Amino acid sequence: MKKDNGLYRLVYEYYEARILLGCYTCGDKLPSIPKISDIFHLAPTTIRSALSMLEQEKLIKVDARKAAVVTYDLSPSQMKKNAAEYFIPRREGILGISQSGSYLLEPLWKEGLRKWDDNDWESLRRGIMTPSLNMVSIPVEFYLLAVGALDNRLAMNLLWETVRYLRFPYLTNGMETLTGRKELAGFSREETIEALRAEAAHSYGRSLQALFAFMDEMSLDPGLKDAAPIPFHWNIYRQRPQLRYSFASLLIRKILKGTYPQGTYLPSLPQLVDRYGIPLMTVRRTLGLLEELGMTRSYHGKGTLVCMEPADIDLSRSSIREGIRLYVESLQLLHLTVQNIFLCTWESADPAKRAALIRHFLFLQSEEKSYLCFEACLTFIEDHCPLSTVRECYGSIKVLMVWKYPLILSRLKNRSLHAEYRDCVSRLTSFLQEERPEMFSSELKHLWEQEEQQVRAFLS
């Protein structure tokens, strides 16, 4: 059960953290199932799954007719040990998220804030006035609401994954330095934004400072100082089978790069199972998905032919719709964040790495594969960005971006992928050769924003 990444884990991990780290003590009651359901906006059955898991871990006792009761008896020394065992292995990951926030998360909530309407402000006002309903601090709730306005589940998933990894936003109401909830509720929108931003920076900075001091102290414990690091991992596929999507992405990338050239056959089913360690049923479903996307065609007794033909993609199929949704949302996330991230990466890369990127762009154009230059740019960031969280996130986005190719083939019909991207990639290459990274990053942002608009128009 622990390996399942269902939505109930949001609830489980929230209450697990609050119990193990002393926010609840033995004998305390959790909110009722309807109340928790309201807090998390999840179905009661999902809440029951989370409570059942907490009970299996001997943290609570569930009663069908009463609120669940905390049964975990926590001493001060055990609380410190619990905190140390969780946070010390994640020290570098927490630092990485802290360093990457202004590059990855700030552009998202700022864009979301521009989309806010009166209903969003009313939701925030209710949260300020009713602290018992908040599962995270008010400033974090502010960011969640702002990013939610993007209507981008991938962006919201990223924000939630960072909160889940950090955990300490679960442990405070985050309002210690504000003059009062009622006063804040009477602020103008601009005053509210400024107050919450200031409080978030103050609260996060103070929590981070205290946390690192605590980890420094507890790291002296012989049993903890050599704890294996647990880096931040962005788990995107929360409600869908990850293996099929990631394997489909892998095969599409290998087709595009020429590992499996157009007009040749993919390895047989047993060979794919053996080579990639993927279950046979997953391989079958993945190949079926590739055929629906026009990337391959299966022939009984012969195998699976790589064809890359324009296909009439059936957008009603959930597997295809989910992959395309992730691609479109990736485009939005990229055009909102890539400008500063690329500049940060370019400035930190040594001249040899910069020159290698330029040579790769020129090579792909000479091979009439200009469409692969965008993946090359993501790889450059994934490999050389000094910010670990950015590397993790852009590596995950790179996997999702391969869904563009079947869509573009369908949209372009008989025009080649290279012809579609040749001119814009030529401009990008010139900017790099002329050492104008600001122009390169600005053009890249514009291209991905334009691509998002075109795909949304095509799908509508």
PDB file of all heavy atoms in Angstrom, residues 293-295 307-313 406 408-415:
ATOM      1  N   LEU A 293      -1.124   6.772 -32.112  1.00  0.00           N
ATOM      2  CA  LEU A 293      -0.519   8.089 -32.326  1.00  0.00           C
ATOM      3  C   LEU A 293       0.112   8.224 -33.710  1.00  0.00           C
ATOM      4  O   LEU A 293       0.615   9.297 -34.060  1.00  0.00           O
ATOM      5  CB  LEU A 293       0.548   8.352 -31.258  1.00  0.00           C
ATOM      6  CG  LEU A 293       0.040   8.512 -29.822  1.00  0.00           C
ATOM      7  CD1 LEU A 293       1.204   8.532 -28.848  1.00  0.00           C
ATOM      8  CD2 LEU A 293      -0.803   9.773 -29.687  1.00  0.00           C
ATOM      9  N   GLY A 294       0.113   7.147 -34.490  1.00  0.00           N
ATOM     10  CA  GLY A 294       0.682   7.208 -35.827  1.00  0.00           C
ATOM     11  C   GLY A 294       2.184   7.009 -35.877  1.00  0.00           C
ATOM     12  O   GLY A 294       2.800   7.178 -36.935  1.00  0.00           O
ATOM     13  N   MET A 295       2.787   6.633 -34.763  1.00  0.00           N
ATOM     14  CA  MET A 295       4.238   6.446 -34.731  1.00  0.00           C
ATOM     15  C   MET A 295       4.656   5.086 -35.272  1.00  0.00           C
ATOM     16  O   MET A 295       5.755   4.926 -35.795  1.00  0.00           O
ATOM     17  CB  MET A 295       4.760   6.605 -33.295  1.00  0.00           C
ATOM     18  CG  MET A 295       4.445   7.942 -32.645  1.00  0.00           C
ATOM     19  SD  MET A 295       5.142   9.350 -33.534  1.00  0.00           S
ATOM     20  CE  MET A 295       6.894   9.090 -33.305  1.00  0.00           C
ATOM     21  N   CYS A 307       6.735   4.095 -38.580  1.00  0.00           N
ATOM     22  CA  CYS A 307       6.260   4.786 -39.783  1.00  0.00           C
ATOM     23  C   CYS A 307       6.170   6.301 -39.615  1.00  0.00           C
ATOM     24  O   CYS A 307       6.365   7.046 -40.568  1.00  0.00           O
ATOM     25  CB  CYS A 307       4.915   4.225 -40.231  1.00  0.00           C
ATOM     26  SG  CYS A 307       3.640   4.277 -38.969  1.00  0.00           S
ATOM     27  N   MET A 308       5.865   6.788 -38.424  1.00  0.00           N
ATOM     28  CA  MET A 308       5.733   8.233 -38.175  1.00  0.00           C
ATOM     29  C   MET A 308       4.829   8.889 -39.213  1.00  0.00           C
ATOM     30  O   MET A 308       5.201   9.843 -39.892  1.00  0.00           O
ATOM     31  CB  MET A 308       7.100   8.914 -38.152  1.00  0.00           C
ATOM     32  CG  MET A 308       7.913   8.624 -36.907  1.00  0.00           C
ATOM     33  SD  MET A 308       9.436   9.580 -36.824  1.00  0.00           S
ATOM     34  CE  MET A 308       8.784  11.252 -36.702  1.00  0.00           C
ATOM     35  N   GLU A 309       3.617   8.392 -39.325  1.00  0.00           N
ATOM     36  CA  GLU A 309       2.657   8.935 -40.275  1.00  0.00           C
ATOM     37  C   GLU A 309       1.635   9.801 -39.551  1.00  0.00           C
ATOM     38  O   GLU A 309       1.275   9.513 -38.407  1.00  0.00           O
ATOM     39  CB  GLU A 309       1.929   7.793 -40.998  1.00  0.00           C
ATOM     40  CG  GLU A 309       2.839   6.950 -41.873  1.00  0.00           C
ATOM     41  CD  GLU A 309       2.088   5.795 -42.507  1.00  0.00           C
ATOM     42  OE1 GLU A 309       0.954   5.519 -42.055  1.00  0.00           O
ATOM     43  OE2 GLU A 309       2.630   5.185 -43.438  1.00  0.00           O
ATOM     44  N   PRO A 310       1.158  10.865 -40.212  1.00  0.00           N
ATOM     45  CA  PRO A 310       0.093  11.662 -39.599  1.00  0.00           C
ATOM     46  C   PRO A 310      -1.114  10.788 -39.297  1.00  0.00           C
ATOM     47  O   PRO A 310      -1.549  10.003 -40.140  1.00  0.00           O
ATOM     48  CB  PRO A 310      -0.230  12.709 -40.673  1.00  0.00           C
ATOM     49  CG  PRO A 310       0.985  12.768 -41.533  1.00  0.00           C
ATOM     50  CD  PRO A 310       1.558  11.378 -41.527  1.00  0.00           C
ATOM     51  N   ALA A 311      -1.621  10.898 -38.093  1.00  0.00           N
ATOM     52  CA  ALA A 311      -2.751  10.061 -37.684  1.00  0.00           C
ATOM     53  C   ALA A 311      -3.910  10.934 -37.237  1.00  0.00           C
ATOM     54  O   ALA A 311      -3.715  12.048 -36.742  1.00  0.00           O
ATOM     55  CB  ALA A 311      -2.330   9.130 -36.547  1.00  0.00           C
ATOM     56  N   ASP A 312      -5.113  10.420 -37.446  1.00  0.00           N
ATOM     57  CA  ASP A 312      -6.293  11.073 -36.883  1.00  0.00           C
ATOM     58  C   ASP A 312      -6.407  10.612 -35.436  1.00  0.00           C
ATOM     59  O   ASP A 312      -6.979   9.564 -35.133  1.00  0.00           O
ATOM     60  CB  ASP A 312      -7.544  10.701 -37.680  1.00  0.00           C
ATOM     61  CG  ASP A 312      -7.514  11.272 -39.093  1.00  0.00           C
ATOM     62  OD1 ASP A 312      -6.981  12.387 -39.254  1.00  0.00           O
ATOM     63  OD2 ASP A 312      -7.997  10.599 -40.015  1.00  0.00           O
ATOM     64  N   ILE A 313      -5.811  11.391 -34.560  1.00  0.00           N
ATOM     65  CA  ILE A 313      -5.709  10.977 -33.163  1.00  0.00           C
ATOM     66  C   ILE A 313      -7.073  11.031 -32.498  1.00  0.00           C
ATOM     67  O   ILE A 313      -7.791  12.037 -32.590  1.00  0.00           O
ATOM     68  CB  ILE A 313      -4.705  11.888 -32.425  1.00  0.00           C
ATOM     69  CG1 ILE A 313      -3.311  11.750 -33.056  1.00  0.00           C
ATOM     70  CG2 ILE A 313      -4.646  11.544 -30.948  1.00  0.00           C
ATOM     71  CD1 ILE A 313      -2.291  12.704 -32.489  1.00  0.00           C
ATOM     72  N   PRO A 406       3.742  13.317 -32.259  1.00  0.00           N
ATOM     73  CA  PRO A 406       2.536  12.791 -32.913  1.00  0.00           C
ATOM     74  C   PRO A 406       1.503  13.880 -33.198  1.00  0.00           C
ATOM     75  O   PRO A 406       0.862  13.878 -34.254  1.00  0.00           O
ATOM     76  CB  PRO A 406       1.996  11.771 -31.897  1.00  0.00           C
ATOM     77  CG  PRO A 406       3.162  11.411 -31.051  1.00  0.00           C
ATOM     78  CD  PRO A 406       4.012  12.630 -30.985  1.00  0.00           C
ATOM     79  N   ILE A 408       2.078  17.102 -33.741  1.00  0.00           N
ATOM     80  CA  ILE A 408       2.538  17.971 -34.825  1.00  0.00           C
ATOM     81  C   ILE A 408       2.424  17.258 -36.161  1.00  0.00           C
ATOM     82  O   ILE A 408       2.034  17.855 -37.172  1.00  0.00           O
ATOM     83  CB  ILE A 408       3.983  18.436 -34.559  1.00  0.00           C
ATOM     84  CG1 ILE A 408       4.010  19.344 -33.330  1.00  0.00           C
ATOM     85  CG2 ILE A 408       4.547  19.183 -35.758  1.00  0.00           C
ATOM     86  CD1 ILE A 408       5.389  19.669 -32.837  1.00  0.00           C
ATOM     87  N   LEU A 409       2.747  15.963 -36.187  1.00  0.00           N
ATOM     88  CA  LEU A 409       2.581  15.200 -37.424  1.00  0.00           C
ATOM     89  C   LEU A 409       1.130  15.237 -37.888  1.00  0.00           C
ATOM     90  O   LEU A 409       0.838  15.394 -39.074  1.00  0.00           O
ATOM     91  CB  LEU A 409       3.022  13.751 -37.209  1.00  0.00           C
ATOM     92  CG  LEU A 409       4.526  13.483 -37.185  1.00  0.00           C
ATOM     93  CD1 LEU A 409       4.791  12.053 -36.738  1.00  0.00           C
ATOM     94  CD2 LEU A 409       5.139  13.732 -38.556  1.00  0.00           C
ATOM     95  N   SER A 410       0.217  15.100 -36.937  1.00  0.00           N
ATOM     96  CA  SER A 410      -1.201  15.134 -37.280  1.00  0.00           C
ATOM     97  C   SER A 410      -1.611  16.509 -37.789  1.00  0.00           C
ATOM     98  O   SER A 410      -2.402  16.636 -38.720  1.00  0.00           O
ATOM     99  CB  SER A 410      -2.030  14.747 -36.052  1.00  0.00           C
ATOM    100  OG  SER A 410      -3.399  14.770 -36.340  1.00  0.00           O
ATOM    101  N   ARG A 411      -1.033  17.550 -37.193  1.00  0.00           N
ATOM    102  CA  ARG A 411      -1.387  18.919 -37.578  1.00  0.00           C
ATOM    103  C   ARG A 411      -0.748  19.316 -38.906  1.00  0.00           C
ATOM    104  O   ARG A 411      -1.349  20.017 -39.715  1.00  0.00           O
ATOM    105  CB  ARG A 411      -0.951  19.881 -36.467  1.00  0.00           C
ATOM    106  CG  ARG A 411      -1.179  21.343 -36.764  1.00  0.00           C
ATOM    107  CD  ARG A 411      -1.118  22.185 -35.497  1.00  0.00           C
ATOM    108  NE  ARG A 411       0.120  22.037 -34.778  1.00  0.00           N
ATOM    109  CZ  ARG A 411       1.216  22.756 -35.024  1.00  0.00           C
ATOM    110  NH1 ARG A 411       1.212  23.650 -35.985  1.00  0.00           N
ATOM    111  NH2 ARG A 411       2.301  22.579 -34.303  1.00  0.00           N
ATOM    112  N   LEU A 412       0.491  18.863 -39.141  1.00  0.00           N
ATOM    113  CA  LEU A 412       1.221  19.281 -40.340  1.00  0.00           C
ATOM    114  C   LEU A 412       0.841  18.485 -41.580  1.00  0.00           C
ATOM    115  O   LEU A 412       1.127  18.909 -42.702  1.00  0.00           O
ATOM    116  CB  LEU A 412       2.726  19.130 -40.100  1.00  0.00           C
ATOM    117  CG  LEU A 412       3.346  20.018 -39.032  1.00  0.00           C
ATOM    118  CD1 LEU A 412       4.833  19.733 -38.926  1.00  0.00           C
ATOM    119  CD2 LEU A 412       3.108  21.485 -39.336  1.00  0.00           C
ATOM    120  N   LYS A 413       0.241  17.308 -41.363  1.00  0.00           N
ATOM    121  CA  LYS A 413      -0.070  16.401 -42.472  1.00  0.00           C
ATOM    122  C   LYS A 413       1.214  16.008 -43.196  1.00  0.00           C
ATOM    123  O   LYS A 413       2.016  15.282 -42.664  1.00  0.00           O
ATOM    124  CB  LYS A 413      -1.096  17.035 -43.415  1.00  0.00           C
ATOM    125  CG  LYS A 413      -2.417  17.372 -42.726  1.00  0.00           C
ATOM    126  CD  LYS A 413      -3.044  16.154 -42.085  1.00  0.00           C
ATOM    127  CE  LYS A 413      -4.374  16.481 -41.415  1.00  0.00           C
ATOM    128  NZ  LYS A 413      -4.919  15.325 -40.681  1.00  0.00           N
ATOM    129  N   ASN A 414       1.453  16.529 -44.397  1.00  0.00           N
ATOM    130  CA  ASN A 414       2.587  16.051 -45.188  1.00  0.00           C
ATOM    131  C   ASN A 414       3.836  16.920 -45.072  1.00  0.00           C
ATOM    132  O   ASN A 414       4.849  16.638 -45.710  1.00  0.00           O
ATOM    133  CB  ASN A 414       2.184  15.945 -46.665  1.00  0.00           C
ATOM    134  CG  ASN A 414       1.122  14.886 -46.885  1.00  0.00           C
ATOM    135  OD1 ASN A 414       1.177  13.823 -46.276  1.00  0.00           O
ATOM    136  ND2 ASN A 414       0.151  15.178 -47.733  1.00  0.00           N
ATOM    137  N   ARG A 415       3.785  17.989 -44.298  1.00  0.00           N
ATOM    138  CA  ARG A 415       4.968  18.821 -44.144  1.00  0.00           C
ATOM    139  C   ARG A 415       5.902  18.193 -43.113  1.00  0.00           C
ATOM    140  O   ARG A 415       5.450  17.643 -42.111  1.00  0.00           O
ATOM    141  CB  ARG A 415       4.570  20.227 -43.696  1.00  0.00           C
ATOM    142  CG  ARG A 415       5.723  21.221 -43.783  1.00  0.00           C
ATOM    143  CD  ARG A 415       5.291  22.596 -43.346  1.00  0.00           C
ATOM    144  NE  ARG A 415       6.387  23.542 -43.467  1.00  0.00           N
ATOM    145  CZ  ARG A 415       6.433  24.708 -42.842  1.00  0.00           C
ATOM    146  NH1 ARG A 415       5.444  25.061 -42.049  1.00  0.00           N
ATOM    147  NH2 ARG A 415       7.448  25.519 -43.014  1.00  0.00           N
TER     148      ARG A 415
END
